[in-house]
Amino acid sequence: MVFKLFGNARSRPTLRVAHILKEMQVPFEFVAIDVQGNEHKTAEYLKKQPFGQIPYIDDDGFVLFETRAICKYIATKWRGQGPALFPDPSDLKATALFDQALSIEYSNFDNAAVNIAVEKVYKPKYLNKPTDEALVAEQVSKLEAKLEGYEAILSKQKYLAGEYVTLADLYHITFGFYIVEEGGLMLFTDEAKYPNMARWWKDITSRPAWLAVKGGL
Amino acid sequence: MTLKVYGVLQATFTQRVLVVLKEKNVSYEFITVDWAGKTHKAPSYLLNHPFGQFPYIDDDGFILYESIAIMKYIALKYRDQGAPLLPDPGDLKATALMEQACSVEASNFNPFTTPIVIEKYGKPIRGVEPDEEVVKECVLGLDSKLDGYELILAKQRYLAGDSITIADLAHLPTGTIISRVGVTLLEDFTKRPNVTRWWREIYTRPSWQEVVASADAKI
Ligand SMILES: N[C@@H](CCC(=O)N[C@@H](CS)C(=O)NCC(=O)O)C(=O)O
Ligand SMILES: N[C@@H](CCC(=O)N[C@@H](CS)C(=O)NCC(=O)O)C(=O)O
């Protein structure tokens, strides 16, 4: 049975999964969830995703949610078919450094990036609500405080987990691209301030698989 | 060389690492980070942890930070000691479910519990008034997310299936502190019997009781 992705064509987390499916050249069927009609809060839906969020996947009866777990599953199952997006699992230390990079994204980047995206893009564009600029400023400075750490890492190595691109790098695109492209923020594209981060950012956002999905499904 | 843990005995992310070391019966040397003196912001510290946080470990020269990555590293390295805490790495689906469970903690638990810990536990230690608005919002948020936990735990014993994993253990430090400061959502058996059954089960593990005892002894 064909791999099914349940989500929303414009939702960032849904695009994250679509991106990795493209990277690994996995054919899939996209099934739109009626978010406006609150389909993701129905008892039926909660059987698949108990927290009432999108997306989730169904791979021949195997149901999985949480985008990072889904992407890792895809990159593992179809490892031979696309780029190796994480180190050889038998290499304990390389694997640990990859897990460290995954946590870096989740701990230092995701929360602020999501908050900025909601304020700068989602509210004005889709909800017809004004941006709370004070909140944006607070989240931007929270994020900026972390960028020194990124710059330090990326001045020593090409990617967050070492010399090869991994899922940990690609997860930053999901909201990072959104706030840079549509929210008009400089952040890690600032070559004068963060030359290594800017180099890294250009590299990961020019991947053909991302270019293929960035506009939506 | 003995594995070195740099952290603070009472700090929640340090405790995640300690509970896995105890589960695995791994001996280690503990080095207290002088957080009041801000050692973790010194340039020499940032060489080991570029974000200036604790914990991190030094395993015979191998430096690793981020608590979940450390938990996993120790669990993999000492796979055959103590409870496995991770599925067989060759089992694709079981591994995916364990990673799902780790994300569940990071998305639906920690974002609510950590601010409560900061407000009601961290701030009073430093003599600062907690922001009760933040606490209220986080309690409400956690309360609604625990409905998702109840659905999961009604079907299986632990978050990733029928065996305990690092995903369950990751809940212990902040879960324990919020209960102590009066947020008793995890203990309400009539409201969410399966969450409470699960919480009691992980909370009473001897490994965790040892971590709690050493944190309390040092205060
Ligand atoms: N940590 C989750 C986040 C997913 C998420 O935030 N989904 C949003 C849509 S973009 C959602 O479903 N929100 C509805 C809600 O939380 O009630 C993942 O990575 O899968
Ligand atoms: N995501 C990190 C979080 C670590 C963390 O927040 N540690 C706190 C102490 S419990 C800290 O070092 N805070 C100081 C700071 O962030 O400046 C992990 O899981 O290791």
Side-chain angles (χ1 to χ4, degrees):
Chain A
M1 259 208 349
V2 66
F3 185 105
K4 288 201 183 88
L5 168 60
F6 297 80
N8 178 291
R10 276 191 324 227
S11 134
R12 297 292 119 179
T14 303
L15 286 189
R16 169 180 289 155
V17 175
H19 174 198
I20 302 306
L21 285 164
K22 282 270 182 232
E23 289 276 358
M24 304 312 289
Q25 303 179 49
V26 180
F28 66 99
E29 181 187 333
F30 169 66
V31 185
I33 295 297
D34 177 13
V35 178
Q36 232 101 53
N38 270 329
E39 183 185 348
H40 57 311
K41 302 295 172 188
T42 59
E44 210 41 50
Y45 188 91
L46 295 180
K47 283 186 192 152
K48 309 288 186 185
Q49 213 295 6
F51 297 95
Q53 293 189 315
I54 53 167
Y56 75 89
I57 60 142
D58 184 336
D59 182 25
D60 206 8
F62 180 61
V63 172
L64 194 66
F65 60 93
E66 280 293 340
T67 53
R68 294 164 184 83
I70 296 171
C71 292
K72 177 77 189 298
Y73 172 76
I74 296 165
T76 309
K77 182 163 173 184
W78 286 283
R79 192 171 167 92
Q81 194 170 299
L85 293 176
F86 60 91
D88 177 350
S90 68
D91 186 336
L92 178 66
K93 288 182 184 172
T95 298
L97 294 174
F98 164 65
D99 284 322
Q100 172 180 280
L102 288 176
S103 280
I104 288 173
E105 184 269 331
Y106 217 88
S107 310
N108 299 313
F109 185 82
D110 180 69
N111 185 265
V114 169
N115 291 337
I116 297 169
V118 168
E119 289 302 325
K120 287 293 266 192
V121 191
Y122 197 67
K123 273 194 179 173
K125 225 173 144 170
Y126 302 114
L127 300 180
N128 212 3
K129 283 189 184 161
T131 298
D132 180 343
E133 294 291 352
L135 200 139
V136 172
E138 181 197 296
Q139 296 299 310
V140 168
S141 66
K142 194 169 103 184
L143 190 53
E144 287 202 313
K146 302 294 185 178
L147 297 187
E148 293 294 339
Y150 276 87
E151 184 63 19
I153 296 168
L154 293 167
S155 67
K156 286 192 295 201
Q157 58 197 41
K158 234 173 132 186
Y159 297 100
L160 289 178
E163 292 310 316
Y164 299 95
V165 69
T166 66
L167 292 169
D169 302 292
L170 303 183
Y171 293 165
H172 289 78
I173 302 175
T174 316
F175 285 96
F177 191 78
Y178 208 39
I179 61 184
V180 169
E181 293 289 309
E182 297 193 38
L185 282 128
M186 279 279 267
L187 297 174
F188 24 74
T189 59
D190 191 336
E191 281 179 41
K193 220 162 151 188
Y194 311 112
N196 290 290
M197 216 178 153
R199 184 250 316 141
W200 167 80
W201 184 251
K202 217 181 243 167
D203 176 333
I204 60 174
T205 53
S206 52
R207 296 177 70 81
W210 168 248
L211 299 178
V213 302
K214 70 173 190 181
L217 292 176
Chain B
M1 257 204 352
T2 335
L3 184 139
K4 293 198 182 90
V5 181
Y6 293 79
V8 172
L9 286 177
Q10 291 79 22
T12 52
F13 296 99
T14 303
Q15 291 178 341
R16 285 181 170 183
V17 173
L18 297 180
V19 72
V20 173
L21 288 166
K22 301 221 187 265
E23 285 281 343
K24 294 293 187 180
N25 232 326
V26 177
S27 57
Y28 58 92
E29 183 185 339
F30 190 82
I31 295 117
T32 300
V33 172
D34 172 19
W35 61 271
K38 294 220 178 279
T39 4
H40 56 301
K41 303 294 172 189
S44 58
Y45 189 95
L46 296 180
L47 288 179
N48 289 328
H49 194 320
F51 297 97
Q53 297 184 318
F54 41 92
Y56 77 86
I57 61 164
D58 179 344
D59 187 17
D60 206 8
F62 179 62
I63 308 283
L64 190 67
Y65 56 91
E66 280 293 345
S67 58
I68 296 284
I70 301 171
M71 292 174 90
K72 223 174 135 190
Y73 171 74
I74 296 165
L76 273 175
K77 182 164 176 183
Y78 301 97
R79 240 201 107 62
D80 301 331
Q81 254 165 260
L85 301 183
L86 289 174
D88 176 349
D91 186 335
L92 174 67
K93 290 182 183 173
T95 300
L97 294 173
M98 184 275 296
E99 273 159 11
Q100 172 181 279
C102 283
S103 278
V104 163
E105 192 280 331
S107 311
N108 301 309
F109 193 80
N110 183 57
F112 304 101
T113 56
T114 286
I116 301 175
V117 170
I118 292 173
E119 295 300 327
K120 301 287 280 184
Y121 176 77
K123 282 192 178 174
I125 289 178
R126 288 180 284 121
V128 180
E129 278 291 308
D131 182 339
E132 293 294 346
E133 272 309 303
V134 171
V135 175
K136 218 169 86 190
E137 237 175 74
C138 288
V139 171
L140 280 176
L142 180 61
D143 197 19
S144 88
K145 296 297 187 184
L146 287 178
D147 287 339
Y149 276 77
E150 182 66 19
L151 287 176
I152 297 170
L153 294 165
K155 288 190 300 196
Q156 59 198 41
R157 194 162 161 196
Y158 298 103
L159 279 185
D162 286 316
S163 309
I164 191 164
T165 65
I166 57 167
D168 300 292
L169 299 179
H171 292 73
L172 283 166
T174 59
T176 298
I177 293 182
I178 64 164
S179 300
R180 284 191 179 189
V181 299
V183 179
T184 54
L185 291 172
L186 296 168
E187 320 265 358
D188 191 341
F189 189 79
T190 40
K191 199 165 177 187
R192 296 189 190 91
N194 290 292
V195 168
T196 302
R197 185 251 316 138
W198 163 80
W199 175 251
R200 285 275 113 201
E201 196 171 326
I202 60 172
Y203 179 77
T204 52
R205 286 180 85 82
S207 59
W208 179 242
Q209 289 308 309
E210 274 181 50
V211 174
V212 169
S214 54
D216 288 347
K218 269 287 195 87
I219 278 183

